Amino acid sequence: QVQLVESGGGLVQPGGSLRLSCAASGSIFSINTLGWYRQAPGKLRELVATVSGAGTANYADYVKGRFTISRDNAKNTVYLQMNSLKPEDTAVYYCNADVNSLGAVWNSRNYWGQGTQVTVSS
């Protein structure tokens, strides 16, 4: 079993910054793509950013230039640095990992964290 735990969410003012972290633990052999998603009230969960195992990052248009995704493979951790935050960024942010588990290294699975609340308000 693999577990993802997010941290770093909270309340910030518009224009502020926040850094989210997501640490993976469990029977992990390797992690392929890591991603951040968010879900606001009344909306579907949407992709924010992903970073591939090779380090290639992709961003949703509405966060490009403001958010940065990065990963630390030694710590099995993915980060999301959020700058110039806007009220519309308010959502529950979830991390996702495509994981090759120990004992099943050829069959990857997607895992989700429990989510962390980000609220941008004055």
Side-chain angles (χ1 to χ4, degrees):
Q1 182 67 5
V2 174
Q3 187 175 54
L4 305 180
V5 179
E6 299 101 332
S7 62
L11 174 65
V12 297
Q13 294 185 344
S17 297
L18 206 61
R19 190 178 79 151
L20 306 182
S21 300
C22 175
S25 61
S27 300
I28 299 171
F29 179 78
S30 62
I31 302 177
N32 304 309
T33 300
L34 288 158
W36 286 97
Y37 297 73
R38 70 187 186 187
Q39 188 166 21
K43 289 190 173 183
L44 297 174
R45 190 171 299 185
E46 62 184 5
L47 186 147
V48 176
T50 62
V51 58
S52 73
T56 301
N58 291 286
Y59 301 92
D61 288 341
Y62 48 83
V63 304
K64 197 168 187 176
R66 299 188 297 123
F67 292 7
T68 302
I69 188 171
S70 61
R71 63 190 291 165
D72 185 337
N73 291 333
K75 298 180 179 179
N76 287 331
T77 299
V78 61
Y79 305 93
L80 185 68
Q81 178 66 47
M82 303 184 293
N83 299 323
S84 302
L85 283 162
K86 305 175 181 179
E88 50 263 44
D89 294 319
T90 296
V92 176
Y93 284 70
Y94 300 88
C95 66
N96 175 270
D98 183 42
V99 178
N100 297 117
S101 297
L102 292 173
V105 299
W106 309 117
N107 299 315
S108 67
R109 288 186 59 186
N110 282 303
Y111 294 87
W112 292 92
Q114 82 287 350
T116 184
Q117 177 71 48
V118 172
T119 302
V120 184
S121 177
S122 58

